[in-house]
Amino acid sequence: MADHAILAGKRVLLVIAGGIAAYKSLELIRRLRERGVTVRAVLTEAGARFVTPLSVQALTEDTVYRDLWSLTDESEMGHIRLSREADLLVVAPATANLLARMAAGMADDLAATVLLATDKPVLVAPAMNVRMWQHAATQANMALLESRGVRRIGPNDGVMACNEYGPGRMAEPMEIVEAIAGVFAAESHRPLAGRRAIVTSGPTHEPIDPVRYIANRSSGKQGHAIAAALAALGAEVTLVSGPTRLPDPAGCRVAHIETAREMLAACEAALPADIAVCAAAVADWRVDGAGDRKLKKDGGAPPALALTENPDILATLSRPGERRPALVVGFAAETGDVLAYATAKRARKGCDWIVANDVSPGTGTFGGSDNTVHLIRADGVESWPTMPKDAVATRLAEAVAEYFTGK
Ligand code: C5P
């Protein structure tokens, strides 16, 4: 649970959109104000059908902002000032319609305009009918918004006002208060501010000819999560990613590449850096002389593919020299004798830390959401419990921060 003391003196701009859950936003205003938060509210036209401007005004003890075109609203408080004078924007309830407008970058009313004009953190509390929430359009909009750094709380499972059951209920006011405290806590915890990091992620594709390639099963989930976790701690992150199905993580610069050689070039272009984390599953070999003509089946013997070794990005970045990042972290995916192989790999590659994991069939690591890893450093091995890849990433980013802050 985040410490609520962090809330005192903070300014929240609360956008209330048109959903039945809007009545809970009145309670949210009270719970925030009890904790010393200044709440200013924007009510959409549909929102005003569910709660009255008078209630919102009485609870915030401020004007309720409603109309993009109202001269009074614009002269007293332009939409830019509304977001400038807030520390956080909270959308509760966030309806399917408002999420769609946010995802599309629309600015067709005051709520959408402040959300587009802001550079402050945004937290949404979705609330809608279960089928609207589960619709591919809403899911895609939400994923896009999250990839751009929008935070989300809920929706919760339960019986809804429309008598259906499932995810769609807006999070309870105290859960939203908790999430808001969490956002402020994360914002103030930036031990890697001023540090530059390079993270490699995903597979590489090595062409055989213009239409075929050699690849592997890496999903990029772990590497992308590490990039996001380092960025959340304030690092300036360049993610060098092979082809994956993942959205670009929030707050990172992303270089999309295909081959190992392109990955190395992108990493070298991102130097100097303080931190390098090589989580990509780089192809060890590429096809020698992959040409620009498609190989043809001509009834004769199948073509023999001659392979040549790819550059080792981790070993290259680990090489002593002026441009070597202070902390280089590699991964070792093994299928048995994990610790022995990984310890040997740390020495062979010349990196500082190795994150070792067992990728034997049945562990579900490749493409799965969980990971069981061991962190191998000069002074020994730390074995972590099985946890989601996001949690592994957060713990690794915290270990990196401790390395630099000496705590
Ligand atoms: O040699 P192996 O593939 O087992 O080593 C794994 C580690 O080395 C990972 O951190 C991976 O990202 C990195 N690696 C690399 N370039 C290569 C091969 C592996 O950076 N060509």
Side-chain angles (χ1 to χ4, degrees), residues 200 278-280 282-284 310-314 330-332 345 348-349:
T200 71
C278 294
V282 185
D284 289 318
N310 264 331
D312 190 314
I313 295 152
L314 176 60
F331 272 71
K345 190 165 291 178
R348 193 169 65 246
K349 304 263 187 173

Side-chain angles (χ1 to χ4, degrees), residues 355-376:
V355 180
N357 59 359
D358 190 341
V359 294
S360 309
T363 60
T365 308
F366 257 127
S369 295
D370 284 358
N371 210 350
T372 313
V373 309
H374 312 270
L375 179 60
I376 298 167

Side-chain angles (χ1 to χ4, degrees), residues 264-321:
L264 177 61
C267 288
E268 287 182 330
L271 288 171
D274 305 283
I275 305 147
V277 180
C278 294
V282 185
D284 289 318
W285 302 283
R286 65 177 179 274
V287 176
D288 202 7
D292 48 15
R293 290 175 56 127
K294 185 178 168 193
L295 296 178
K296 291 279 184 219
K297 206 164 43 177
D298 59 8
L305 296 182
L307 300 178
T308 185
E309 204 165 319
N310 264 331
D312 190 314
I313 295 152
L314 176 60
T316 308
L317 293 175
S318 300
R319 234 177 255 146

Side-chain angles (χ1 to χ4, degrees), residues 189-192 229-230 232-233 353 375 377 384 391-405 407:
H189 179 55
R190 295 173 77 78
L192 290 174
L230 290 170
L233 295 189
W353 299 356
L375 179 60
R377 296 186 268 208
W384 296 354
V392 170
T394 303
R395 190 154 165 182
L396 183 66
E398 288 292 350
V400 169
E402 277 166 28
Y403 172 88
F404 284 99
T405 56
K407 276 184 217 147

Side-chain angles (χ1 to χ4, degrees), residues 26-59:
L26 299 179
E27 164 100 8
L28 173 63
I29 297 171
R30 297 204 56 194
R31 299 285 89 88
L32 287 171
R33 295 206 59 206
E34 277 166 10
R35 287 162 178 77
V37 178
T38 305
V39 184
R40 183 167 267 170
V42 170
L43 194 55
T44 65
E45 200 183 322
R49 295 183 179 250
F50 289 91
V51 289
T52 71
L54 193 59
S55 306
V56 178
Q57 189 163 318
L59 290 169

Side-chain angles (χ1 to χ4, degrees), residues 130-266:
V130 54
R131 264 175 284 282
M132 290 171 81
W133 172 249
Q134 286 172 338
H135 195 285
T138 306
Q139 289 298 309
N141 289 333
M142 194 65 244
L144 181 61
L145 290 169
E146 287 184 273
S147 78
R148 292 180 187 151
V150 169
R151 278 90 158 170
R152 170 168 68 86
I153 171 77
N156 294 344
D157 275 10
V159 180
M160 278 173 273
C162 49
N163 283 328
E164 290 193 69
Y165 186 89
R169 279 171 67 98
M170 186 169 89
E172 295 306 316
M174 279 312 294
E175 291 176 302
I176 301 176
V177 169
E178 190 62 33
I180 292 172
V183 173
F184 286 125
E187 290 286 309
S188 64
H189 179 55
R190 295 173 77 78
L192 290 174
R195 304 275 175 197
R196 287 166 58 99
I198 301 170
V199 179
T200 71
S201 183
T204 62
H205 284 183
E206 307 295 336
I208 295 171
D209 65 17
V211 295
R212 306 180 178 95
Y213 57 82
I214 299 175
N216 62 65
R217 293 185 195 284
S218 168
S219 65
K221 279 185 191 156
Q222 188 63 79
H224 278 54
I226 290 167
L230 290 170
L233 295 189
E236 192 188 313
V237 179
T238 300
L239 171 65
V240 183
S241 175
T244 73
R245 294 163 165 272
L246 302 174
D248 289 350
C252 303
R253 196 180 76 78
V254 186
H256 294 278
I257 53 81
E258 289 198 356
T259 68
R261 286 189 294 177
E262 288 165 2
M263 184 172 272
L264 177 61

